[in-house]
Amino acid sequence: MSEVNRRDLLAGAAAFAGFATVGLLPGTAAATTRQRPGAALPPSLSTGDKAVVARVDARRALKHLKVLSDEIGWRVAGTRGEHRAARYAAGVLRDLGYKVQLQPLPVPDKNLAEMRVEVKGRREHWQSWAILNAATGRVKGEVVDLKDATEVTADLTGKIALFNRVAGKELDQAKAAVAKGAKAVLIQNVRSTTYPERKAQSLNIVFAEYVPVPVLVLAEYHGTQLRSGARRFTLEVTKHTNLTSYNVIADRKATFPNPEGKTVIVSGHYDTVPGSPGGNDDGSGTVLSMELARVLKRLPTQQNIRICLWGAEELGLVGARYYVSKLSAEELKQITGVFQNDMVATSHPPAGTYWLLSVDGNANTTTTAVLEAAKRLGYVGQTKGPVARGSSDHEAFFEKGVAAGNFSWRGGESPAQLEPVYHTPEDTVRGNVSLQRLQVSLELIGTAAYDVARRR
């Protein structure tokens, strides 16, 4: 039987499985023929595409995202929040019938601060990096605003100093406050002059000498809130040691004989930077992968489906690189494509282009599959790429010769064109997630990954 005929038969089986599973709900058939959300042209879907489009649902994914971002919140590598998220995702994938493993990997020690504060009658709970070469412990007190000062004349005994960050002078600011009796130092980060659109995030600065009080470099949001009239401010800095992060790996075997063990990977990273609830970065890519696990679980495939949720991406792709380092040459060869999804649902208005990113800028199995899917779905002229860019987990696979792409909504290539709240406390579900863009991402990656998974 020819490859074309096999794929036609497989597509027919897929359509039957897809429509049977959704139970031919009212409107299901229409959902596969009407113009897709925000698309420039009507769709021209293959039978396999229809099986995916009929079932995929951003609202289901959003329910998982609210757990990860709203309920669990910060998911910093190796901490309790990241572990809760890993267990949650693993439980969902097991319930779907996937074979799931939590792959442990070591990550560096870190100092983190948690803050509790009342702002305009609202009680808020914040997180931030804390300087490693400074004291830990719990501090409560009045916050004194010293603005851009690097020298201090006022008596700060028993108080908490708040500065605007003066780049390169952070240690001087901390020492000046301590010399006047401050029992903690807060340094509000400021926006880059290169990318003034981007709000400033919390920073992990290393001091050249020890400071005997807790010192935090706060996100812009936290400093602004403190200056707006915060009351009852308490902070606690904890040193986190002997940390372990986890990759969540979920497998579903091919429906048909797969003697070469070919495997398609759909992935995202579930960890966050300190202080950010990671609604878009990368809760969105995580829940996209989880929703596609549901959609693909019963559709017939020639290849295995593997869902990978990476830990410790924000520390430098640590989880993905660890995973790849444990694969043999034969196991690497079995991977036909890695669809990495990082920041796939931002509501930032200018980020209206769907980018196909490969490390070297060349087309590969994944970028080509998504580009072809975009044409079938009607998103002509609304995608860009492939464009050369690493900085996400697809890079770990590229380094080993595996076809891999990263897929993301953005306005352009520079960091400023991602979204203003990137890596900040304002990357929330309510403030930075578009249900429509999440749906489009699900349909693009779902149809593309399924197309590859149906190949022999």
Side-chain angles (χ1 to χ4, degrees), residues 96-396:
L96 289 172
Y98 284 72
K99 182 180 179 181
V100 180
Q101 64 166 315
L102 293 176
Q103 181 185 48
L105 56 131
V107 291
D109 296 349
K110 53 184 66 71
N111 279 6
L112 296 173
E114 294 197 25
M115 296 160 278
R116 296 184 185 275
V117 59
E118 184 179 312
V119 181
K120 297 178 181 178
R122 304 186 314 273
R123 292 185 178 181
E124 297 196 13
H125 186 192
W126 300 339
Q127 188 192 53
S128 171
W129 282 111
I131 302 300
L132 271 171
N133 204 15
T136 59
R138 188 172 186 272
V139 176
K140 180 179 181 180
E142 176 188 353
V143 177
V144 178
D145 186 2
L146 299 168
K147 298 183 172 57
D148 299 319
T150 57
E151 298 179 357
V152 179
T153 57
D155 181 15
L156 299 177
T157 301
K159 297 179 181 178
I160 298 171
L162 172 62
F163 295 94
N164 286 322
R165 180 186 174 211
V166 179
K169 297 290 186 180
E170 299 90 353
L171 178 58
D172 293 339
Q173 290 176 307
K175 290 170 65 177
V178 170
K180 291 297 183 178
K183 58 182 179 180
V185 178
L186 310 175
I187 301 174
Q188 178 187 330
N189 195 11
V190 295
R191 298 191 189 193
S192 160
T193 55
T194 307
Y195 301 120
E197 303 90 345
R198 285 265 301 277
K199 297 188 177 184
Q201 65 189 74
S202 173
L203 286 184
N204 185 22
I205 292 174
V206 179
F207 281 168
E209 59 185 89
Y210 181 75
V211 176
V213 304
V215 183
L216 286 56
V217 181
L218 297 175
E220 176 183 345
Y221 171 83
H222 291 150
T224 300
Q225 292 297 302
L226 285 172
R227 289 184 164 114
S228 72
R231 301 174 58 245
R232 302 179 183 176
F233 182 77
T234 303
L235 69 87
E236 184 166 9
V237 174
T238 303
K239 185 175 181 64
H240 298 261
T241 61
N242 302 315
L243 299 179
T244 300
S245 179
Y246 294 90
N247 291 325
V248 181
I249 312 298
D251 281 291
R252 196 222 79 175
K253 292 293 186 183
T255 313
F256 297 96
N258 182 20
E260 296 179 8
K262 290 183 178 180
T263 301
V264 175
I265 291 178
V266 177
S267 60
H269 74 86
Y270 69 95
D271 68 310
T272 70
V273 297
S276 176
N280 189 41
D281 185 17
D282 184 30
S284 63
T286 298
V287 301
L288 177 146
S289 302
M290 293 167 68
E291 169 63 0
L292 290 184
R294 183 190 70 83
V295 168
L296 298 172
K297 68 175 181 176
R298 291 195 181 97
L299 296 184
T301 63
Q302 294 279 4
Q303 300 186 26
N304 303 328
I305 300 293
R306 181 170 299 152
I307 306 298
C308 295
L309 306 179
W310 311 116
E313 187 271 356
E314 298 290 4
L315 298 182
L317 319 183
V318 174
R321 285 201 169 110
Y322 183 87
Y323 173 78
V324 168
S325 74
K326 300 300 179 183
L327 298 178
S328 67
E330 181 61 29
E331 288 170 325
L332 287 166
K333 186 179 178 181
Q334 291 171 340
I335 301 171
T336 58
V338 178
F339 293 83
Q340 169 67 15
N341 304 278
D342 199 342
M343 304 172 66
V344 296
T346 181
S347 59
H348 180 45
T353 301
Y354 190 80
W355 286 67
L356 288 54
L357 307 169
S358 64
V359 175
D360 59 3
N362 293 328
N364 62 51
T365 300
T366 63
T367 60
T368 299
V370 172
L371 187 59
E372 291 175 349
K375 292 175 182 176
R376 298 193 303 272
L377 287 161
Y379 296 105
V380 176
Q382 294 167 272
T383 63
K384 187 173 180 64
V387 170
R389 186 169 176 84
S391 303
S392 193
D393 297 296
H394 65 304
E395 189 175 320

Side-chain angles (χ1 to χ4, degrees), residues 68-79:
L68 293 175
S69 185
D70 293 349
E71 295 181 23
I72 297 175
W74 330 299
R75 305 179 296 279
V76 181
T79 66

Side-chain angles (χ1 to χ4, degrees), residues 6-35:
R6 282 187 68 91
R7 291 188 66 197
D8 286 345
L9 287 173
L10 192 58
F16 179 80
F19 291 121
T21 305
V22 297
L24 293 176
L25 294 172
T28 296
T32 67
T33 58
R34 64 173 176 250
Q35 193 147 327

